[in-house]
Amino acid sequence: MSKDAQEIAASDRILMAQVARLSYLEDRPHTEIGRELGISRFKVARYLARAREEGVVTITIKDVGLPDPGLSTRLADALGLKECVVIRSHGDQDDVRQQVGAAAAELLSSTVREGEVLGMTWGRTLTSTTSQLTRLPRVTVVQLTGFVSGDLGASPIEIVRHTAQRVGGSVRPIFSPLFVQDADTAENLKQHPDIAMAMNLFPAVTTAILSFGSWDPPITQVREVLPPEEVERFVRMGCVADIAGILVRADGELVDPEFQRRCVSISYDQLTAVPRVIGVAGGPEKADALRAVVRAGLITSAVVDHELAEAALAGLDG
């Protein structure tokens, strides 16, 4: 490019930037900008389009944690959910959990009614949800599963305790491991008066909020507490998700109904009878798990981030 051509190009870029400043920073109309700079309003529009194309102007939308109504409707319709909140997420996994948790907390705060029985499980996203609850009417909070080892802060006992403290309601915890060695042991634990007090409330649960885990890729605490040979067996049997200790295949069928008898938790039949079950999760890696728990009829509602929603929809299209 000749020196004259370079000077013309530089002058053109300076004019482009000037047009952009007047439009975006001073909010001036195209006709006024044109009069001031001696160009037509159509040329103003072309300069603004070029400014975006060439990177002179970049637009950043601050939508972190905000709902995406269009994507929410698409996901609800595609999966047959009664309600769905999809939020725009940014950042690492912890950031996404915080953003999804905030949306789930807001949904609970704005929709749960006084006198309800609220069922809860465990998980880092649920921990984020309860930590961001700012208001909730007086409800009874019941733990739906025994606990798994790992982070005590994300245990179901801590989650229901923290929620009950926030709302001033009563709490029914389950001081038992989720999985035990055999069905007889599980049945004996269920007969313990304190545990039975919680489990007898399962048919009365009106709203439940649960996280769900993925088995492929493995993003779940459940795999960590089961013996390796059982994990391998369940993988061979097609397990792709777990929710409230219930293991689910891609088609929504239970992986091993006999195994569920070893669990101190809400049963498949009891959970599917709950009028409103909200599944919360973030990250595209859980797309297969989301579709599986929906096919199983184990959630009626979802609070997820946009990457999980888009991945779940892409899987349906595929």
Side-chain angles (χ1 to χ4, degrees), residues 5-310:
Q6 289 176 345
E7 289 176 354
I8 292 171
S11 177
D12 188 56
R13 194 169 179 82
I14 290 170
L15 181 57
M16 184 194 307
Q18 190 175 6
V19 168
R21 278 195 300 272
L22 292 171
S23 177
Y24 292 113
L25 299 184
E26 298 185 20
D27 199 26
R28 305 265 288 275
H30 289 191
T31 52
E32 184 179 322
I33 295 171
R35 281 197 304 269
E36 181 171 326
L37 300 180
I39 58 178
S40 71
R41 61 186 177 88
F42 301 106
K43 194 165 187 178
V44 169
R46 288 197 294 272
Y47 269 130
L48 291 175
R50 278 184 54 203
R52 291 193 297 270
E53 292 169 1
E54 298 178 18
V56 172
V57 169
T58 59
I59 298 175
T60 301
I61 300 174
K62 300 291 187 179
D63 62 351
V64 176
L66 294 179
D68 184 327
L71 190 53
S72 300
T73 299
R74 284 178 55 207
L75 187 65
D77 290 346
L79 296 182
L81 294 167
K82 292 181 180 178
E83 61 183 338
C84 187
V85 177
V86 177
I87 58 102
R88 306 300 298 187
S89 64
H90 300 275
D92 60 21
Q93 287 184 338
D94 288 338
D95 293 330
V96 172
R97 290 189 190 101
Q98 283 293 113
Q99 293 153 20
V100 172
E106 176 58 31
L107 181 64
L108 284 180
S109 297
S110 60
T111 59
V112 170
R113 300 290 176 252
E114 185 169 351
E116 284 201 49
V117 178
L118 176 63
M120 307 187 81
T121 56
W122 78 93
R124 286 168 290 187
T125 306
L126 281 188
T127 300
S128 175
T129 299
T130 56
S131 69
Q132 297 180 83
L133 274 174
T134 57
R135 66 190 189 281
L136 204 64
R138 184 175 290 272
V139 298
T140 298
V141 184
V142 60
Q143 184 177 325
L144 299 180
T145 72
F147 58 83
V148 295
S149 61
D151 182 5
L152 292 179
S155 75
I157 296 172
E158 181 63 19
I159 285 173
V160 296
R161 183 192 67 82
H162 187 80
T163 303
Q165 285 182 334
R166 288 295 181 98
V167 304
S170 61
V171 59
R172 295 290 181 266
I174 295 178
F175 293 101
S176 164
L178 173 55
F179 306 117
V180 293
Q181 291 298 314
D182 55 71
D184 289 340
T185 301
E187 190 59 35
N188 288 334
L189 284 169
K190 292 174 186 177
Q191 300 309 312
H192 187 281
D194 291 339
I195 296 175
M197 188 179 297
M199 300 190 77
N200 287 341
L201 272 177
F202 288 172
V205 173
T206 52
T207 296
I209 183 163
L210 306 85
S211 61
F212 52 89
S214 165
W215 279 56
D216 184 20
I219 311 173
T220 172
Q221 286 180 295
V222 169
R223 287 180 58 133
E224 299 171 8
V225 301
L226 291 174
E229 60 273 16
E230 286 203 311
V231 171
E232 292 174 7
R233 180 166 70 89
F234 294 145
V235 169
R236 289 196 303 271
M237 295 174 73
C239 185
V240 299
D242 63 76
I243 183 168
I246 300 169
L247 307 185
V248 184
R249 299 190 326 208
D251 60 5
E253 295 296 318
L254 295 185
V255 171
D256 185 354
E258 281 302 307
F259 170 75
Q260 303 303 152
R261 297 180 59 228
R262 293 167 43 196
C263 301
V264 181
S265 63
I266 192 169
S267 69
Y268 170 85
D269 290 338
Q270 288 172 323
L271 187 55
T272 55
V274 175
R276 185 188 190 208
V277 183
I278 306 168
V280 298
E285 301 84 3
K286 287 193 173 183
D288 288 343
L290 173 59
R291 290 191 295 266
V293 296
V294 170
R295 289 184 182 122
L298 291 169
I299 66 172
T300 64
S301 313
V303 181
V304 300
D305 75 316
H306 75 281
E307 290 192 343
L308 174 50
E310 289 168 351

